[in-house]
Amino acid sequence: MNDLVRQHTALSDTDLEWLHLLVSEWQLLSDLSFADLVLWVPTRDGTRYVSVAQMRPNTGPTSYQDDMVGHLVPRGRRPLLDAALDEGRIVREGDPEWREEVPVRVESIPVRREGRVLGVIARNTNLLTVRTPSRLELTYLQSASDLAQMIAAGSFPFPGQQVDMDASPRVGDGMIRLDADGVVLYASPNGLSAYHRLGLASDLVGQHLGQLTTGLAPARGPVDEAMVKLASGYAPRETEVEGNDGVIQLRAIPLSPKGTRIGSLVLLRDVTELRRRERELITKDATIREIHHRVKNNLQTVAALLRLQARRMDSDRGREALNEAVRRVGSIAIVHETLSQNLDERVEFDEIADRVIAMVAEISPGKIECRRTGRFGILDAEVATPLSMVLTEVLQNALEHAFGPGELGTVEVSAVRGGMREDARLLITVQDDGRGLPDGFDAKTAGNLGLQIVRTLVEGELGGSFDMVRAPERGTQVVLDIPVPGDA
């Protein structure tokens, strides 16, 4: 709609915002009217109309099999559009049109904002299925007529009340029509069923909806005056009411077709099962986070015990082995700590990588600068856990063997993600400027425990590849290539 309006019309950005607000609401008018809606806006030179939006009803058959958005019609071809635009009134004159052997009643509703007519809504009703209307259909049509008059007067939609139609109740979910005092004139079967879910044992018609709703909700101190006003339809608002183990969502729409409020339309939806499932998911998420938190605590306890044991060791090699185990356990604990703070089983690995780099840097024998470039991105927990251990081992190996006591040096961790979502890969390079690899070194056959761990995790669990070679200028370069399907 933005492109069509800016390309063909002279409407301002504030006018366009009003049209967006209207389009966010007009599913309601379409369903109440049992009719298709097409929004026509005059072109910049005033010689044609361009259709910028279209809506089909959920309550009846469509009048348009084709998409009308983007069509241009010369002025004069559709007299009802001309009359509604020029005279600023709802036009219903004329005989039904025949489209593909289907009779269609066409009406035109001017769209007014601050005294100016911005465009015209063509309301097209398929008459092929017209039957003797029931009380529900009559109430629908009367409410649609009231809303159409409000659109023509510029009092609907309500400014600042942008509606999420996916989340808000719709006409078919349940509807209640109130008079000016908030007393129920009509309640659809779905609307009545929703209130029965709250604990109502009688009919709704004739009752004051605000007082009734407040009485069905659990008592929490004084009477909630805001709830009384909302359920009585005095202001355009949304809320949820919970009672008797049921939850219903309410949306009030005041009706003032001639400038004076004559009543209200209340749309409602039974969301009991939806809220129950949401609570179950919240409980499961909290349980999963608590498990990760306890695993992290247990790992930190294990690391503390290993650290305590290392201090009591007389053998330097034994003490160093235990310290390596402490760092391995710590890298896993970092992942679980991050997972305990998330709502899903995915983590931002850059933070984990930085913490692993800082943890391993503590063992540096000299003045070694460790830094990270690039971005790992978001990774699944099943990738993040082994990758944190791999990163720990590679960094630990570089700091222990590339530099001697008191030497200066640099270790850089680089991460690059590439490829499409299904075949995306993460290329990690860990490069130092130390003494380099000894002659004849082969990373695939090296017996070092740390390198064996790296090979097993990278090739076995992560399904990637691992190599360790001489750096182009000086030092050693470790290259990890890991598949990471999913968003970065």
Side-chain angles (χ1 to χ4, degrees), residues 121-142:
I121 295 176
R123 181 164 56 176
N124 305 271
T125 307
N126 187 327
L127 299 178
L128 197 61
T129 58
V130 170
R131 57 188 183 276
T132 303
S134 65
R135 179 75 186 280
L136 180 142
E137 290 170 327
L138 289 173
T139 304
Y140 275 22
L141 292 172
Q142 181 58 53

Side-chain angles (χ1 to χ4, degrees), residues 236-261:
R237 295 286 187 273
E238 285 193 38
T239 191
E240 287 189 3
V241 181
E242 184 171 355
N244 194 40
D245 295 328
V247 185
I248 63 172
Q249 186 179 12
L250 293 178
R251 182 189 175 203
I253 304 170
L255 298 175
S256 53
K258 296 181 180 180
T260 303
R261 196 175 72 85

Side-chain angles (χ1 to χ4, degrees), residues 12 203 218 332-333 376:
S12 65
D203 196 4
I332 302 175
F376 288 85

Side-chain angles (χ1 to χ4, degrees), residues 49 66 82 112 119 192 211 224 235 246 250 272 287 343 414 436:
Y49 298 95
D66 299 327
D82 298 339
R112 191 183 304 274
L192 183 59
Q211 297 174 0
D224 189 346
L250 293 178
T272 304
T287 302
L343 294 177
S414 171

Side-chain angles (χ1 to χ4, degrees), residues 142-251:
Q142 181 58 53
S143 301
S145 176
D146 294 335
L147 284 175
Q149 292 183 56
M150 292 171 66
I151 291 173
S155 57
F156 185 84
F158 305 109
Q161 293 289 323
Q162 188 81 26
V163 175
D164 182 0
M165 291 306 299
D166 292 332
S168 293
R170 299 196 177 192
V171 171
D173 296 325
M175 189 199 78
I176 298 174
R177 179 69 187 250
L178 307 178
D179 66 11
D181 296 323
V183 176
V184 178
L185 297 175
Y186 174 79
S188 71
N190 285 345
L192 183 59
S193 297
Y195 266 83
H196 285 166
R197 188 71 177 263
L198 286 181
L200 179 67
S202 60
D203 196 4
L204 275 170
V205 176
Q207 302 205 51
H208 190 282
L209 190 65
Q211 297 174 0
L212 174 67
T213 303
T214 305
L216 292 173
R220 296 189 178 95
V223 175
D224 189 346
E225 293 295 335
M227 175 66 73
V228 173
K229 289 185 178 181
L230 188 148
S232 301
Y234 288 109
R237 295 286 187 273
E238 285 193 38
T239 191
E240 287 189 3
V241 181
E242 184 171 355
N244 194 40
D245 295 328
V247 185
I248 63 172
Q249 186 179 12
L250 293 178
R251 182 189 175 203

Side-chain angles (χ1 to χ4, degrees), residues 348-355 357 369-377 391 395 410-415 428-429:
E348 178 64 63
F349 197 79
D350 293 320
E351 178 185 350
I352 293 175
D354 291 341
R355 293 180 63 181
I357 291 172
E369 178 188 0
C370 297
R371 60 173 180 258
R372 172 180 63 86
T373 60
R375 182 171 177 269
F376 288 85
L391 193 57
L395 287 169
T410 302
V411 177
E412 181 174 309
V413 180
S414 171
I428 305 169
T429 304

